[in-house]
Coordinates of all heavy atoms in Angstrom, one line a residue:
M1 N -74.2 22.7 -13.5 CA -72.7 22.6 -13.7 C -72.2 24.0 -14.1 O -72.7 24.6 -15.1 CB -72.3 21.6 -14.8 CG -70.9 21.6 -15.2 SD -70.5 20.6 -16.6 CE -70.8 21.6 -17.9
E2 N -71.4 24.6 -13.2 CA -70.9 26.0 -13.5 C -69.7 25.8 -14.4 O -68.8 25.0 -14.2 CB -70.6 26.7 -12.2 CG -70.2 28.2 -12.4 CD -70.0 28.8 -11.1 OE1 -71.0 29.2 -10.5 OE2 -68.9 29.0 -10.7
C3 N -69.6 26.7 -15.4 CA -68.4 26.6 -16.3 C -67.2 27.3 -15.7 O -67.4 28.4 -15.1 CB -68.8 27.3 -17.6 SG -70.1 26.4 -18.5
I4 N -66.1 26.7 -15.9 CA -64.8 27.3 -15.3 C -64.4 28.5 -16.1 O -64.0 29.5 -15.6 CB -63.7 26.2 -15.3 CG1 -64.1 25.1 -14.4 CG2 -62.4 26.8 -14.9 CD1 -63.2 23.9 -14.5
H5 N -64.5 28.4 -17.4 CA -64.2 29.5 -18.3 C -65.4 30.2 -18.8 O -66.5 29.5 -18.9 CB -63.3 29.0 -19.5 CG -62.1 28.3 -19.0 ND1 -61.1 28.8 -18.5 CD2 -61.9 26.9 -19.1 CE1 -60.2 27.9 -18.2 NE2 -60.6 26.7 -18.6
R6 N -65.3 31.4 -19.3 CA -66.5 32.1 -19.9 C -66.6 31.5 -21.3 O -65.7 31.3 -22.0 CB -66.2 33.6 -20.0 CG -67.2 34.3 -20.7 CD -67.2 35.8 -20.4 NE -68.0 36.6 -21.3 CZ -69.2 36.5 -21.6 NH1 -70.0 35.6 -21.0 NH2 -69.8 37.3 -22.4
V7 N -67.9 31.1 -21.5 CA -68.1 30.5 -22.8 C -69.0 31.4 -23.6 O -70.2 31.4 -23.5 CB -68.8 29.1 -22.7 CG1 -69.0 28.4 -24.0 CG2 -68.1 28.2 -21.7
G8 N -68.4 32.3 -24.4 CA -69.1 33.3 -25.1 C -70.1 32.8 -26.2 O -71.0 33.5 -26.5
C9 N -69.9 31.6 -26.6 CA -70.8 31.0 -27.7 C -72.0 30.4 -27.1 O -72.8 29.9 -27.9 CB -70.0 30.0 -28.5 SG -69.3 28.6 -27.7
L10 N -72.2 30.3 -25.8 CA -73.4 29.7 -25.2 C -74.3 30.8 -24.8 O -74.1 31.5 -23.8 CB -73.0 28.8 -24.0 CG -72.5 27.5 -24.2 CD1 -72.2 26.8 -22.9 CD2 -73.4 26.6 -25.1
P11 N -75.4 31.0 -25.6 CA -76.4 32.0 -25.2 C -77.2 31.4 -24.0 O -77.2 30.2 -23.8 CB -77.3 32.1 -26.4 CG -77.2 30.8 -27.1 CD -75.7 30.3 -26.8
E12 N -77.9 32.3 -23.3 CA -78.8 31.9 -22.3 C -80.0 31.2 -22.9 O -80.4 31.6 -24.0 CB -79.3 33.1 -21.4 CG -80.1 32.6 -20.3 CD -80.2 33.6 -19.2 OE1 -81.0 34.6 -19.3 OE2 -79.6 33.5 -18.1
G13 N -80.4 30.1 -22.3 CA -81.5 29.3 -22.9 C -80.9 28.1 -23.6 O -79.8 27.6 -23.2
V14 N -81.6 27.6 -24.6 CA -81.2 26.4 -25.3 C -80.4 26.8 -26.6 O -80.9 27.6 -27.3 CB -82.4 25.6 -25.7 CG1 -82.0 24.3 -26.5 CG2 -83.2 25.1 -24.5
S15 N -79.3 26.2 -26.7 CA -78.5 26.4 -28.0 C -78.4 25.0 -28.6 O -78.4 23.9 -28.0 CB -77.1 27.0 -27.7 OG -76.4 26.2 -26.8
V16 N -78.3 25.0 -30.0 CA -78.3 23.8 -30.8 C -77.0 23.7 -31.5 O -76.5 24.7 -32.1 CB -79.5 23.8 -31.8 CG1 -79.4 22.5 -32.6 CG2 -80.8 24.0 -31.1
W17 N -76.3 22.6 -31.3 CA -75.0 22.4 -31.9 C -74.9 21.2 -32.7 O -75.5 20.1 -32.4 CB -74.0 22.2 -30.7 CG -73.8 23.5 -29.9 CD1 -74.6 23.8 -28.8 CD2 -73.0 24.6 -30.2 NE1 -74.2 25.1 -28.4 CE2 -73.2 25.6 -29.3 CE3 -72.1 24.8 -31.3 CZ2 -72.6 26.8 -29.3 CZ3 -71.4 26.1 -31.3 CH2 -71.7 27.0 -30.3
M18 N -74.3 21.3 -33.9 CA -74.0 20.2 -34.7 C -72.5 20.2 -35.0 O -71.9 21.3 -34.8 CB -74.7 20.3 -36.0 CG -76.2 20.1 -35.9 SD -77.1 20.5 -37.4 CE -77.3 22.2 -37.2
P19 N -71.8 19.1 -35.3 CA -70.4 19.1 -35.4 C -69.9 20.2 -36.4 O -68.9 20.8 -36.2 CB -70.0 17.7 -35.9 CG -71.1 16.9 -35.3 CD -72.3 17.7 -35.4
D20 N -70.6 20.4 -37.5 CA -70.1 21.4 -38.5 C -70.3 22.9 -38.0 O -69.6 23.8 -38.5 CB -70.8 21.2 -39.8 CG -72.3 21.3 -39.8 OD1 -72.9 21.4 -38.7 OD2 -72.9 21.3 -40.9
S21 N -71.1 23.1 -36.9 CA -71.2 24.4 -36.4 C -70.1 24.8 -35.4 O -69.9 26.0 -35.1 CB -72.6 24.6 -35.6 OG -72.6 23.7 -34.5
L22 N -69.3 23.8 -35.0 CA -68.2 24.1 -34.1 C -67.1 25.0 -34.8 O -66.4 25.8 -34.1 CB -67.5 22.8 -33.7 CG -68.4 21.9 -32.9 CD1 -67.7 20.5 -32.7 CD2 -68.8 22.5 -31.6
G23 N -67.0 24.9 -36.1 CA -66.0 25.7 -36.8 C -66.4 27.2 -36.9 O -65.5 28.0 -37.2
A24 N -67.6 27.5 -36.5 CA -68.1 28.9 -36.6 C -67.7 29.7 -35.3 O -68.0 30.9 -35.3 CB -69.6 28.9 -36.8
V25 N -67.1 29.1 -34.3 CA -66.8 29.8 -33.1 C -65.3 30.0 -33.0 O -64.5 29.2 -33.6 CB -67.3 29.1 -31.8 CG1 -68.9 29.1 -31.9 CG2 -66.8 27.7 -31.7
S26 N -64.8 30.9 -32.2 CA -63.4 31.1 -32.0 C -62.7 29.9 -31.4 O -63.4 29.1 -30.8 CB -63.2 32.4 -31.1 OG -63.5 32.1 -29.8
S27 N -61.4 29.8 -31.5 CA -60.8 28.7 -31.0 C -60.9 28.7 -29.5 O -61.0 27.6 -28.8 CB -59.3 28.6 -31.4 OG -58.6 29.8 -31.0
A28 N -60.9 29.9 -28.8 CA -61.0 29.9 -27.4 C -62.4 29.4 -26.9 O -62.5 28.6 -26.0 CB -60.8 31.4 -26.9
D29 N -63.4 29.8 -27.7 CA -64.8 29.3 -27.3 C -64.9 27.9 -27.6 O -65.6 27.1 -26.9 CB -65.8 30.1 -28.1 CG -66.2 31.4 -27.5 OD1 -65.9 31.6 -26.3 OD2 -66.9 32.3 -28.1
R30 N -64.3 27.4 -28.7 CA -64.3 26.0 -29.0 C -63.7 25.1 -27.9 O -64.1 24.1 -27.5 CB -63.6 25.7 -30.4 CG -63.9 24.4 -31.0 CD -63.5 24.2 -32.5 NE -62.4 24.9 -32.9 CZ -62.3 26.0 -33.6 NH1 -63.5 26.6 -34.0 NH2 -61.2 26.6 -33.9
D31 N -62.5 25.6 -27.4 CA -61.9 24.9 -26.3 C -62.7 24.9 -25.1 O -62.8 23.9 -24.4 CB -60.5 25.6 -26.0 CG -59.5 25.4 -27.0 OD1 -59.7 24.6 -27.9 OD2 -58.4 26.1 -27.0
A32 N -63.4 26.1 -24.8 CA -64.3 26.1 -23.6 C -65.5 25.2 -23.8 O -65.9 24.5 -22.9 CB -64.7 27.5 -23.3
L33 N -66.1 25.2 -25.0 CA -67.2 24.4 -25.3 C -66.8 22.9 -25.2 O -67.6 22.0 -24.7 CB -67.7 24.7 -26.7 CG -69.0 24.0 -27.1 CD1 -70.1 24.3 -26.1 CD2 -69.4 24.4 -28.5
A34 N -65.6 22.5 -25.7 CA -65.1 21.2 -25.6 C -65.0 20.7 -24.1 O -65.4 19.6 -23.8 CB -63.7 21.0 -26.2
E35 N -64.6 21.6 -23.2 CA -64.6 21.3 -21.8 C -66.0 21.1 -21.2 O -66.2 20.2 -20.5 CB -63.9 22.4 -21.1 CG -63.7 22.2 -19.6 CD -63.0 23.3 -18.8 OE1 -62.1 23.9 -19.4 OE2 -63.3 23.5 -17.7
V36 N -66.9 22.0 -21.6 CA -68.3 21.8 -21.2 C -68.9 20.5 -21.6 O -69.5 19.8 -20.8 CB -69.2 23.1 -21.8 CG1 -70.6 22.8 -21.6 CG2 -68.7 24.3 -21.1
I37 N -68.7 20.2 -22.9 CA -69.3 18.9 -23.4 C -68.7 17.7 -22.7 O -69.5 16.8 -22.3 CB -69.1 18.9 -24.9 CG1 -70.0 20.0 -25.6 CG2 -69.5 17.5 -25.5 CD1 -69.7 20.1 -27.1
S38 N -67.4 17.7 -22.6 CA -66.7 16.5 -22.0 C -67.1 16.5 -20.5 O -67.3 15.4 -20.0 CB -65.2 16.6 -22.2 OG -64.9 16.5 -23.6
R39 N -67.1 17.6 -19.8 CA -67.4 17.6 -18.4 C -68.9 17.1 -18.2 O -69.2 16.3 -17.2 CB -67.2 18.9 -17.8 CG -67.4 18.9 -16.2 CD -66.7 20.2 -15.6 NE -67.0 20.2 -14.2 CZ -67.6 21.2 -13.6 NH1 -67.7 22.4 -14.2 NH2 -67.8 21.1 -12.3
A40 N -69.8 17.7 -19.0 CA -71.2 17.3 -18.9 C -71.4 15.8 -19.1 O -72.1 15.1 -18.4 CB -72.1 18.1 -19.8
G41 N -70.6 15.3 -20.1 CA -70.7 13.8 -20.4 C -70.2 13.0 -19.2 O -70.8 11.9 -18.9
D42 N -69.2 13.5 -18.6 CA -68.6 12.7 -17.4 C -69.6 12.8 -16.3 O -69.8 11.7 -15.6 CB -67.3 13.3 -17.0 CG -66.7 12.5 -15.8 OD1 -66.4 11.3 -16.0 OD2 -66.4 13.1 -14.8
L43 N -70.2 13.9 -16.0 CA -71.2 14.0 -14.9 C -72.4 13.2 -15.2 O -73.0 12.5 -14.3 CB -71.6 15.4 -14.7 CG -70.5 16.4 -14.1 CD1 -71.0 17.9 -14.2 CD2 -70.2 16.0 -12.7
S44 N -72.8 13.1 -16.5 CA -73.9 12.2 -16.9 C -73.6 10.7 -16.7 O -74.5 10.0 -16.2 CB -74.3 12.5 -18.4 OG -75.3 11.7 -18.8
K45 N -72.4 10.4 -17.0 CA -72.0 9.0 -16.8 C -72.1 8.6 -15.3 O -72.6 7.6 -14.9 CB -70.5 8.8 -17.2 CG -69.9 7.4 -16.9 CD -68.4 7.4 -17.0 CE -67.9 7.6 -15.6 NZ -66.7 7.0 -15.2
R46 N -71.6 9.5 -14.5 CA -71.7 9.3 -13.0 C -73.1 9.2 -12.5 O -73.4 8.3 -11.7 CB -70.9 10.4 -12.2 CG -69.4 10.3 -12.5 CD -68.8 11.4 -11.8 NE -67.4 11.6 -12.2 CZ -66.5 12.4 -11.6 NH1 -66.9 13.0 -10.5 NH2 -65.3 12.5 -12.0
A47 N -73.9 10.1 -13.0 CA -75.3 10.2 -12.5 C -76.1 8.9 -12.9 O -77.0 8.5 -12.2 CB -76.0 11.4 -13.1
Q48 N -75.8 8.4 -14.1 CA -76.5 7.2 -14.6 C -75.8 5.9 -14.2 O -76.3 4.8 -14.5 CB -76.6 7.2 -16.1 CG -77.4 8.4 -16.6 CD -77.4 8.4 -18.1 OE1 -78.0 7.6 -18.7 NE2 -76.7 9.4 -18.7
G49 N -74.6 6.0 -13.5 CA -73.9 4.8 -13.1 C -73.4 4.0 -14.3 O -73.3 2.7 -14.2
L50 N -73.0 4.6 -15.3 CA -72.5 4.0 -16.5 C -71.0 3.7 -16.3 O -70.3 4.3 -15.6 CB -72.7 4.9 -17.7 CG -74.1 5.3 -18.1 CD1 -74.2 6.2 -19.2 CD2 -75.0 4.0 -18.4
G51 N -70.6 2.7 -17.0 CA -69.2 2.3 -17.0 C -68.3 3.1 -17.8 O -67.0 3.1 -17.6
A52 N -68.8 3.8 -18.8 CA -68.0 4.7 -19.7 C -68.8 5.9 -20.1 O -70.0 6.0 -20.0 CB -67.7 3.8 -21.0
V53 N -68.0 6.9 -20.4 CA -68.6 8.2 -20.9 C -69.2 8.0 -22.2 O -68.6 7.4 -23.1 CB -67.5 9.3 -20.9 CG1 -68.1 10.6 -21.6 CG2 -67.0 9.6 -19.6
I54 N -70.5 8.4 -22.4 CA -71.1 8.2 -23.7 C -70.9 9.5 -24.6 O -70.8 9.4 -25.8 CB -72.7 8.1 -23.5 CG1 -72.9 6.8 -22.6 CG2 -73.4 8.0 -24.8 CD1 -72.4 5.5 -23.2
T55 N -70.9 10.7 -24.0 CA -70.7 11.9 -24.7 C -69.5 12.6 -24.2 O -69.3 12.9 -23.1 CB -71.9 12.9 -24.4 OG1 -73.1 12.2 -24.8 CG2 -71.8 14.2 -25.2
D56 N -68.6 12.9 -25.2 CA -67.5 13.8 -25.0 C -67.2 14.6 -26.3 O -67.8 14.3 -27.3 CB -66.2 13.0 -24.5 CG -65.5 12.1 -25.6 OD1 -65.8 12.3 -26.8 OD2 -64.7 11.3 -25.2
Y57 N -66.4 15.5 -26.2 CA -66.2 16.5 -27.3 C -65.7 15.7 -28.6 O -66.2 16.0 -29.6 CB -65.2 17.6 -26.9 CG -65.0 18.5 -28.1 CD1 -65.9 19.5 -28.4 CD2 -63.8 18.5 -28.8 CE1 -65.7 20.3 -29.5 CE2 -63.6 19.4 -29.8 CZ -64.5 20.3 -30.2 OH -64.3 21.1 -31.2
E58 N -64.7 14.9 -28.4 CA -64.1 14.2 -29.6 C -65.1 13.3 -30.3 O -65.2 13.2 -31.5 CB -62.9 13.4 -29.2 CG -61.7 14.3 -29.0 CD -61.4 15.2 -30.1 OE1 -61.3 14.8 -31.3 OE2 -61.1 16.5 -29.9
K59 N -65.9 12.6 -29.5 CA -66.9 11.7 -30.1 C -68.0 12.6 -30.8 O -68.4 12.2 -31.8 CB -67.6 10.9 -29.0 CG -66.8 9.8 -28.4 CD -67.5 9.0 -27.4 CE -66.7 8.0 -26.7 NZ -67.4 7.3 -25.6
F60 N -68.4 13.7 -30.1 CA -69.4 14.6 -30.8 C -68.8 15.2 -32.0 O -69.5 15.2 -33.0 CB -69.9 15.6 -29.8 CG -70.8 16.6 -30.4 CD1 -72.1 16.2 -30.8 CD2 -70.4 17.9 -30.6 CE1 -72.9 17.1 -31.4 CE2 -71.2 18.8 -31.2 CZ -72.5 18.4 -31.6
R61 N -67.6 15.7 -32.0 CA -67.0 16.3 -33.1 C -67.0 15.5 -34.4 O -67.1 16.1 -35.5 CB -65.6 16.8 -32.8 CG -64.9 17.7 -33.7 CD -63.5 18.0 -33.2 NE -62.6 16.9 -33.2 CZ -62.0 16.3 -34.2 NH1 -62.2 16.8 -35.4 NH2 -61.2 15.3 -34.0
T62 N -66.9 14.2 -34.2 CA -66.8 13.3 -35.4 C -68.1 12.6 -35.6 O -68.1 11.5 -36.4 CB -65.6 12.3 -35.2 OG1 -65.9 11.6 -34.0 CG2 -64.3 13.0 -35.1
S63 N -69.2 13.0 -35.1 CA -70.5 12.4 -35.2 C -71.4 13.1 -36.2 O -71.0 14.2 -36.7 CB -71.2 12.3 -33.9 OG -71.7 13.5 -33.5
N64 N -72.5 12.6 -36.4 CA -73.6 13.3 -37.2 C -74.8 13.6 -36.2 O -75.9 13.6 -36.7 CB -74.0 12.5 -38.4 CG -74.6 11.1 -38.0 OD1 -74.6 10.8 -36.8 ND2 -75.1 10.4 -38.9
Q65 N -74.4 13.8 -35.0 CA -75.5 14.0 -33.9 C -75.7 15.5 -33.7 O -75.0 16.4 -34.2 CB -75.1 13.4 -32.7 CG -75.0 11.8 -32.9 CD -74.5 11.1 -31.7 OE1 -73.7 11.6 -30.9 NE2 -74.9 9.9 -31.6
I66 N -76.8 15.8 -33.0 CA -77.2 17.2 -32.6 C -77.2 17.2 -31.1 O -77.6 16.3 -30.4 CB -78.6 17.5 -33.1 CG1 -78.6 17.5 -34.6 CG2 -79.0 18.9 -32.6 CD1 -80.0 17.6 -35.3
L67 N -76.6 18.3 -30.6 CA -76.5 18.4 -29.1 C -77.2 19.7 -28.7 O -76.9 20.8 -29.3 CB -75.0 18.6 -28.7 CG -74.7 18.7 -27.3 CD1 -75.1 17.4 -26.5 CD2 -73.2 18.9 -27.1
Y68 N -78.1 19.6 -27.8 CA -78.9 20.8 -27.2 C -78.3 21.0 -25.9 O -78.2 20.1 -25.1 CB -80.4 20.4 -27.1 CG -81.0 20.1 -28.4 CD1 -81.0 18.8 -28.9 CD2 -81.6 21.1 -29.2 CE1 -81.6 18.5 -30.2 CE2 -82.2 20.8 -30.4 CZ -82.2 19.5 -30.9 OH -82.8 19.2 -32.1
I69 N -77.9 22.3 -25.6 CA -77.3 22.7 -24.3 C -78.2 23.8 -23.7 O -78.4 24.8 -24.4 CB -75.8 23.1 -24.5 CG1 -75.0 22.1 -25.1 CG2 -75.3 23.6 -23.1 CD1 -73.5 22.5 -25.4
Y70 N -78.7 23.5 -22.5 CA -79.5 24.5 -21.8 C -78.6 25.2 -20.8 O -78.0 24.6 -19.9 CB -80.7 23.9 -21.2 CG -81.5 24.8 -20.3 CD1 -82.0 26.0 -20.9 CD2 -81.8 24.5 -19.0 CE1 -82.8 26.8 -20.2 CE2 -82.6 25.3 -18.3 CZ -83.1 26.5 -18.8 OH -83.9 27.3 -18.1
S71 N -78.4 26.5 -20.9 CA -77.5 27.3 -20.0 C -78.2 28.5 -19.5 O -79.2 29.0 -20.1 CB -76.2 27.6 -20.7 OG -76.5 28.4 -21.8
K72 N -77.7 29.0 -18.4 CA -78.2 30.2 -17.7 C -77.0 31.1 -17.4 O -76.0 30.6 -16.9 CB -79.0 29.8 -16.4 CG -79.6 31.0 -15.7 CD -80.4 30.6 -14.5 CE -80.9 31.8 -13.9 NZ -81.7 31.5 -12.7
H73 N -77.1 32.4 -17.5 CA -76.1 33.3 -17.2 C -76.5 34.1 -15.9 O -77.6 34.5 -15.8 CB -75.9 34.3 -18.3 CG -75.5 33.7 -19.6 ND1 -74.8 34.4 -20.6 CD2 -75.7 32.5 -20.2 CE1 -74.5 33.6 -21.6 NE2 -75.1 32.4 -21.4
S74 N -75.5 34.2 -15.1 CA -75.7 34.9 -13.8 C -74.4 35.4 -13.3 O -73.5 34.7 -13.1 CB -76.4 34.0 -12.8 OG -76.7 34.8 -11.6
G75 N -74.4 36.7 -13.1 CA -73.2 37.3 -12.5 C -71.9 37.1 -13.3 O -70.8 36.9 -12.8
G76 N -72.0 37.1 -14.6 CA -70.9 36.9 -15.5 C -70.5 35.5 -15.6 O -69.5 35.2 -16.3
K77 N -71.2 34.5 -15.1 CA -70.9 33.1 -15.2 C -72.0 32.4 -15.9 O -73.1 32.8 -16.0 CB -70.7 32.5 -13.8 CG -69.6 33.0 -13.0 CD -69.4 32.4 -11.7 CE -68.2 32.9 -10.9 NZ -68.0 32.3 -9.6
V78 N -71.6 31.3 -16.5 CA -72.5 30.5 -17.3 C -72.7 29.2 -16.6 O -71.7 28.5 -16.2 CB -71.9 30.2 -18.7 CG1 -72.9 29.3 -19.5 CG2 -71.7 31.5 -19.5
S79 N -73.9 28.8 -16.3 CA -74.2 27.5 -15.7 C -74.9 26.6 -16.8 O -75.9 27.1 -17.4 CB -75.1 27.6 -14.5 OG -74.4 28.3 -13.5
V80 N -74.4 25.4 -17.0 CA -75.1 24.5 -17.9 C -76.0 23.7 -17.0 O -75.6 23.0 -16.1 CB -74.1 23.6 -18.6 CG1 -74.8 22.5 -19.4 CG2 -73.2 24.4 -19.5
L81 N -77.3 23.8 -17.3 CA -78.3 23.1 -16.5 C -78.7 21.7 -17.1 O -79.3 20.9 -16.4 CB -79.6 24.0 -16.4 CG -79.3 25.4 -15.8 CD1 -80.5 26.2 -15.8 CD2 -78.6 25.3 -14.4
G82 N -78.4 21.5 -18.4 CA -78.8 20.3 -19.0 C -78.3 20.2 -20.4 O -78.0 21.2 -21.0
F83 N -78.2 18.9 -20.9 CA -77.9 18.8 -22.3 C -78.5 17.5 -22.8 O -78.8 16.6 -22.1 CB -76.4 18.7 -22.5 CG -75.6 17.5 -22.1 CD1 -75.1 16.7 -23.1 CD2 -75.4 17.2 -20.8 CE1 -74.5 15.5 -22.8 CE2 -74.7 16.0 -20.4 CZ -74.3 15.2 -21.4
L84 N -78.8 17.5 -24.1 CA -79.4 16.3 -24.7 C -78.8 16.1 -26.1 O -78.6 17.0 -26.9 CB -81.0 16.6 -24.9 CG -81.8 15.6 -25.7 CD1 -81.9 14.3 -24.9 CD2 -83.1 16.1 -26.0
K85 N -78.3 14.9 -26.3 CA -77.7 14.5 -27.6 C -78.7 13.6 -28.3 O -79.2 12.7 -27.8 CB -76.4 13.8 -27.3 CG -75.6 13.5 -28.6 CD -74.3 12.9 -28.3 CE -74.5 11.5 -27.7 NZ -73.3 10.7 -27.5
T86 N -78.9 13.9 -29.6 CA -79.8 13.1 -30.4 C -79.1 12.7 -31.7 O -78.1 13.3 -32.1 CB -81.1 13.9 -30.8 OG1 -80.7 15.0 -31.7 CG2 -81.8 14.4 -29.6
G87 N -79.6 11.7 -32.3 CA -79.1 11.2 -33.6 C -78.6 9.8 -33.5 O -78.6 9.1 -32.4
K88 N -78.1 9.2 -34.6 CA -77.7 7.9 -34.7 C -76.3 7.8 -34.1 O -75.5 8.7 -34.2 CB -77.6 7.4 -36.1 CG -78.9 7.3 -36.7 CD -78.8 6.7 -38.1 CE -80.2 6.6 -38.8 NZ -80.1 6.1 -40.1
K89 N -76.0 6.6 -33.4 CA -74.7 6.4 -32.9 C -73.8 6.0 -34.0 O -74.2 5.3 -35.0 CB -74.7 5.2 -31.9 CG -75.3 5.6 -30.5 CD -75.4 4.4 -29.7 CE -74.3 4.5 -28.6 NZ -74.4 3.4 -27.6
N90 N -72.5 6.3 -33.9 CA -71.5 6.0 -34.9 C -71.1 4.5 -34.7 O -71.1 4.0 -33.6 CB -70.3 6.8 -34.8 CG -70.6 8.2 -35.3 OD1 -71.6 8.4 -36.0 ND2 -69.8 9.2 -35.0

């Protein structure tokens, strides 16, 4: 999944996110990260044939879960290649 906006807070490789770490990034990066998380959740729903999105930014923001995002940088763009959410469901 190629990101529409530059997401400066996503390093190349695996980054680890918890809801309380979202406050440590700029509002522009938080908005871009919100789009990445929600879009990845929607694509995951479609790929798995689920009736509803399991992961989106608002659900993650108010959870006690950990989100791992694997991304690659190329030509000034960020591609998210995968994500994994762990922890207890609310």
Side-chain angles (χ1 to χ4, degrees):
M1 174 183 85
E2 188 174 280
C3 298
I4 297 168
H5 305 288
R6 179 158 161 60
V7 187
C9 62
L10 280 180
E12 184 161 76
V14 177
S15 56
V16 181
W17 295 91
M18 292 171 276
D20 59 353
S21 64
L22 298 171
V25 299
S26 71
S27 62
D29 277 346
R30 195 167 35 254
D31 290 346
L33 188 58
E35 182 179 326
V36 166
I37 294 170
S38 295
R39 185 164 175 230
D42 183 59
L43 291 171
S44 178
K45 175 197 100 150
R46 292 179 193 191
Q48 296 178 69
L50 302 174
V53 173
I54 303 299
T55 302
D56 70 15
Y57 179 76
E58 285 305 314
K59 289 179 186 177
F60 175 68
R61 188 181 65 79
T62 59
S63 75
N64 61 354
Q65 297 176 329
I66 300 172
L67 183 64
Y68 299 86
I69 300 175
Y70 177 53
S71 59
K72 182 177 180 180
H73 296 209
S74 179
K77 295 183 180 181
V78 177
S79 294
V80 173
L81 304 177
F83 76 108
L84 174 69
K85 183 177 70 173
T86 64
K88 293 183 179 182
K89 285 177 109 176
N90 290 344

